[in-house]
Amino acid sequence: MHNTGKPSLTPTTTTNSSTSPPTEQQLQQQQQQQQGTRPQSPPPGRHPTEDEDETDVIGDLMGHYGKWQLLMTVLLSLFQVPNTFHISSSVYQAANKDFWCQRPPQYQQMPVDEWRNLSGSTDNCHRWEGIGWSNPGNETTLLELADDAAAEGKLVACERWEYATQDNVGNTWTSQWDLVCDKEHMKNVAEMFFLLGVATGGIISGYLSDKFGRKTMLFISAILQTIFGLCLYFCSSFELYLTLRALLGLVSVSVTYSALILAIEYVDGKWRTIAGMYNLFPLPISYMIISGLAYLTQDYQALQLCIGLPGIFLCFLWFVVPESPRWLLVKGRVDEVRRIIEAAAKFNGRQLPVDYQLTPPTQESSSQNITHLFRSSYLRRITICFLCIWFTMNLVYYGIILNMSSFGGNVYLNSALAGLVEIPAIAVAMYIITKVGKKWLFCATLFCAGVACFCATITEGREDILWLKITFLMMGKFTISAGNTIMPVYTAELYPTAIRNVGVGACNVAAGLALILTPYISLLNKIEGHLLMALLTAWSIFGGFVVLFLPATAVRRNAANSGTGGGHHQNAASAAKQV
C-alpha cells in the first residue's frame, strides 16, 4: 500500500507468510478492523478531505478536548497578560502633560498663567531674550524688563520645563526626559521602536518556532520579555530605553503567537476555534487591570515594575506545559509524542489501545519556508488576503486602543471600558461562530466596525455630545475585538501545520507595519479633527471586503503542494494538514 504520510493508528498484527489471495471473509474482517481505528466516512454533502482534517489520530487517542486540553489552554492564555500590559503601557507612560518654561527659583510662587504672560512663553517652548531672570528684583522692575524684551521681539528656546503635578497623569516619559517642543516626536519614536520589534519578531519567531519547537520559543521569549521589562524599570538613559523597547517588542510577539499556536495544536477539529478564542480572553481583563494600575501608580517607572513582575511566575510553567505533540510528530519525534499522549489520556480518563503505531508525515511536509506560502493558488490567495486583513485589523484595533488618550474624556475610564466591552465581544463571537461560520462573522465585524467609526467621525469635535462619540467608539471596539478574536484562529486553521507558523509569522509582518504607523495616525487630528476616525472607517470597510475572497473552510487538496505536481507531494500536503 502506498504510504500517504498520514500519521496512522494501527494495531500491530502478525501477518501470514503465505502469498495466497485473501478470502472474502478475511477482507470483511480487515474492513471491520479498519473501521475501528479510522474516522468514519463523512456524511453526504461534505467533501471527504474536509472531514478527514477535522480530527486526527492524536486527538482520537488522547481526546479531542478534555480536562487536559482545558488546563493547558488556560495556562497558555496567561502569557497574554504581560503581552497586553507591554503593548498598551504607552497609553499611560507617554501621556501628554501640561508644561511651561521653568520659572527662576525666586519666582516659583508666581502663578503659571502670569509667568507665561510675563515671559512671553505663549507656546511654552520659548521666552523673551535679554531678561536677567536670575537677578532678584521687584515686580515693577521685572515688568519693565519684560516690556522692553517684548518690544525687541526676540525669543529664545527654553532649556528646562516644569510640569503639572495635579493632573492625574503623574510622571511620564514627557516629564522624565523633557519630551516636549522639538522633542515631542520622540514619544512616537519610542513607541515605534517597540512596534518595529514586533514587526521584526513576526518573521524571526515564526521560523525559529517551526525549527526548534513552539514550547522552546515560547519560554525563551517569555524569559527575555521578563528581563527586558524589568530592565526598563531601572533604565535612566532614553537611548537605552529605546533599545530595550525594541527588544521587548521583538520577544513579545513571539510569546503571543507561540502560545496561541501551541494552544491550537493541543486540540483538533472544531475545538481549535474554541481553544484559540479562550487564549484571547485575558486580553480585555488585562486592559482593565493596567488601567487600574496606571491610575493607582501614576508613575511610568512604578507601572513598568508592576507589568514586568508577572512574567517571572509564568516562566515556571515550563515544568507543566509540554511541547506540541503534532509538531513533534511532524518532526518524527514519536517517543516524545507517545509520552504526551499517555499523560493526556490518563488525565482525561481515556483508555489507550494496547499497542498502536504513530507514523510521522514525510519529510517534505515538515521542512517548509516562506516561499511555500506562494507555491499553490490556494496558498497564494489566502496569504495575500491575510496580509491585507492583518494590516487592517491591527491598524484599526490598536488605532483605537493606543489613541485612547486623544479621544477626549478620562483616559483611565475609557481604557477600562474598552477592555470591558471586549469580554462580551469574545463570548458572542464564540457563540455565533458555531452558527454561521468564521468567514461571514469575520466579514460582518469589520463592516460594523467601519460603521461605528464613521458615526464617531460625525460626532468629532462636539464637546456637548462627547458621550455619544465615546459610545460609538466602544461599539467599534466591540465589533473589531470580535474580529480580532476570530482572525488568528481563522488564519491558523487555513494554513497547513507544516507552514502554519510561517504563515502566521508572515501575517505578523503586515501587522507590525500597521503597528508602526499607529502612534503616528493620531497626528492626523492636528491637521483636521475628523481624519483619524475617517481613516479607521476606510480601512475597516476595506478589510471586510477582502475577507470575501477567503474560503469558508480550508482547501485540503494540494494546500501545501510545491506546485510541481505528483502524488507524492499531494500526500505530503495532506499529511501536514492532518497533523
Side-chain angles (χ1 to χ4, degrees):
M1 181 179 294
H2 179 69
N3 182 13
T4 63
K6 176 180 176 180
S8 60
L9 165 60
T10 55
T12 303
T13 59
T14 304
T15 58
N16 195 317
S17 59
S18 173
T19 59
S20 59
T23 64
E24 181 178 354
Q25 182 179 2
Q26 289 174 333
L27 290 174
Q28 290 177 354
Q29 291 175 351
Q30 288 179 1
Q31 291 175 356
Q32 292 173 359
Q33 184 180 12
Q34 291 171 354
Q35 289 174 356
T37 58
R38 294 180 182 174
Q40 298 297 318
S41 300
R46 294 188 60 183
H47 195 282
T49 54
E50 291 180 12
D51 187 76
E52 284 178 358
D53 189 62
E54 287 301 313
T55 59
D56 61 18
V57 171
I58 293 176
D60 292 337
L61 288 168
M62 67 182 186
H64 303 299
Y65 196 89
K67 293 183 295 182
W68 183 85
Q69 286 90 341
L70 176 61
L71 175 62
M72 292 300 116
T73 52
V74 169
L75 292 178
L76 287 172
S77 70
L78 298 179
F79 285 92
Q80 304 297 341
V81 175
N83 290 339
T84 307
F85 285 165
H86 289 304
I87 200 168
S88 61
S89 63
S90 63
V91 174
Y92 316 99
Q93 294 178 325
N96 293 323
K97 292 180 66 68
D98 190 20
F99 66 96
W100 53 88
C101 294
Q102 187 180 50
R103 293 168 292 185
Q106 64 271 26
Y107 301 116
Q108 285 295 315
Q109 303 304 317
M110 180 179 291
V112 174
D113 290 337
E114 183 179 340
W115 163 251
R116 284 170 171 163
N117 182 60
L118 182 66
S119 62
S121 182
T122 56
D123 61 353
N124 298 314
C125 296
H126 300 83
R127 58 176 176 78
W128 296 123
E129 183 184 26
I131 301 179
W133 300 111
S134 59
N135 297 325
N138 57 43
E139 187 172 343
T140 302
T141 303
L142 189 61
L143 289 173
E144 292 176 354
L145 292 173
D147 290 339
D148 294 339
E152 295 183 9
K154 292 183 179 180
L155 293 171
V156 294
C158 299
E159 297 178 355
R160 290 184 173 276
W161 290 265
E162 297 175 11
Y163 300 89
T165 54
Q166 306 298 324
D167 57 356
N168 287 329
V169 175
N171 186 30
T172 67
W173 299 345
T174 303
S175 55
Q176 179 69 23
W177 290 295
D178 287 335
L179 302 183
V180 294
C181 300
D182 58 341
K183 291 185 179 179
E184 185 177 6
H185 69 283
M186 295 304 294
K187 290 185 293 185
N188 291 332
V189 171
E191 184 57 17
M192 185 201 69
F193 266 63
F194 175 85
L195 300 173
L196 183 62
V198 171
T200 307
I203 303 176
I204 299 175
S205 63
Y207 170 76
L208 295 178
S209 182
D210 277 337
K211 185 174 180 63
F212 299 108
R214 282 65 160 129
K215 175 184 176 180
T216 302
M217 281 307 301
L218 170 62
F219 282 94
I220 289 177
S221 301
I223 292 172
L224 292 176
Q225 182 188 58
T226 304
I227 294 174
F228 295 147
L230 292 176
C231 285
L232 286 171
Y233 170 73
F234 298 101
C235 183
S236 59
S237 167
F238 185 66
E239 291 75 15
L240 179 59
Y241 198 89
L242 292 178
T243 304
L244 290 172
R245 289 279 297 174
L247 294 173
L248 183 63
L250 185 73
V251 297
S252 292
V253 68
S254 180
V255 173
T256 297
Y257 288 102
S258 292
L260 175 61
I261 295 297
L262 190 55
I264 290 175
E265 291 185 356
Y266 281 152
V267 299
D268 64 357
K270 66 178 182 180
W271 296 106
R272 287 176 178 165
T273 299
I274 305 301
M277 290 185 167
Y278 277 154
N279 193 258
L280 299 177
F281 255 117
L283 265 69
I285 300 174
S286 301
Y287 286 131
M288 292 187 287
I289 291 175
I290 192 173
S291 176
L293 290 174
Y295 178 77
L296 293 174
T297 58
Q298 294 191 12
D299 179 80
Y300 86 95
Q301 285 182 302
L303 179 61
Q304 187 63 49
L305 180 63
C306 292
I307 65 180
L309 288 175
I312 297 176
F313 304 99
L314 293 177
C315 293
F316 289 100
L317 291 179
W318 169 270
F319 304 101
V320 180
V321 176
E323 181 58 87
S324 165
R326 290 168 173 85
W327 179 84
L328 290 171
L329 190 58
V330 168
K331 296 298 180 181
R333 295 157 63 173
V334 178
D335 291 339
E336 296 176 63
V337 178
R338 288 180 181 275
R339 288 195 293 269
I340 295 173
I341 289 176
E342 290 168 2
K346 181 179 179 180
F347 197 87
N348 287 336
R350 292 178 62 90
Q351 278 291 114
L352 291 175
V354 177
D355 196 5
Y356 61 90
Q357 294 179 350
L358 292 168
T359 305
T362 55
Q363 185 63 29
E364 285 82 0
S365 64
S366 60
S367 298
Q368 309 287 352
N369 54 54
I370 196 169
T371 61
H372 287 75
L373 299 179
F374 302 93
R375 289 198 174 186
S376 72
S377 59
Y378 165 71
L379 288 176
R380 281 193 297 270
R381 175 156 61 104
I382 66 170
T383 298
I384 293 173
C385 287
F386 277 131
L387 289 176
C388 295
I389 291 168
W390 279 61
F391 179 90
T392 298
M393 178 63 69
N394 282 271
L395 186 70
V396 178
Y397 181 85
Y398 289 106
I400 294 176
I401 288 291
L402 300 182
N403 290 294
M404 197 62 68
S405 59
S406 65
F407 293 140
N410 187 298
V411 63
Y412 303 109
L413 179 60
N414 290 346
S415 298
L417 287 175
L420 182 62
V421 299
E422 192 163 340
I423 296 177
I426 297 175
V428 169
M430 290 180 62
Y431 174 76
I432 299 179
I433 208 173
T434 61
K435 306 297 181 181
V436 299
K438 300 179 185 67
K439 176 179 178 178
W440 299 110
L441 178 60
F442 191 25
C443 180
T445 58
L446 285 163
F447 278 123
C448 291
V451 172
C453 289
F454 176 74
C455 294
T457 305
I458 297 175
T459 60
E460 183 68 45
R462 299 279 303 276
E463 292 296 328
D464 56 324
I465 54 173
L466 178 61
W467 63 271
L468 185 59
K469 173 187 172 182
I470 299 299
T471 301
F472 286 132
L473 281 172
M474 294 305 138
M475 293 172 62
K477 179 60 168 53
F478 176 91
T479 52
I480 204 66
S481 296
N484 189 55
T485 303
I486 300 168
M487 181 181 69
V489 180
Y490 192 22
T491 305
E493 180 183 284
L494 294 190
Y495 277 115
T497 299
I499 59 173
R500 183 173 295 148
N501 242 34
V502 176
V504 174
C507 293
N508 254 314
V509 177
L513 293 176
L515 289 173
I516 291 172
L517 296 176
T518 302
Y520 293 96
I521 62 176
S522 61
L523 300 178
L524 293 174
N525 279 342
K526 295 184 178 181
I527 302 173
E528 210 285 324
H530 298 80
L531 284 181
L532 172 58
M533 295 310 302
L535 178 71
L536 299 183
T537 299
W539 277 105
S540 296
I541 295 174
F542 168 75
F545 178 74
V546 174
V547 173
L548 298 176
F549 293 92
L550 288 173
T553 56
V555 176
R556 317 302 188 200
R557 184 168 296 174
N558 296 333
N561 196 338
S562 62
T564 59
H568 181 71
H569 291 288
Q570 291 177 11
N571 291 329
S574 175
K577 191 63 183 170
Q578 295 294 338
V579 182

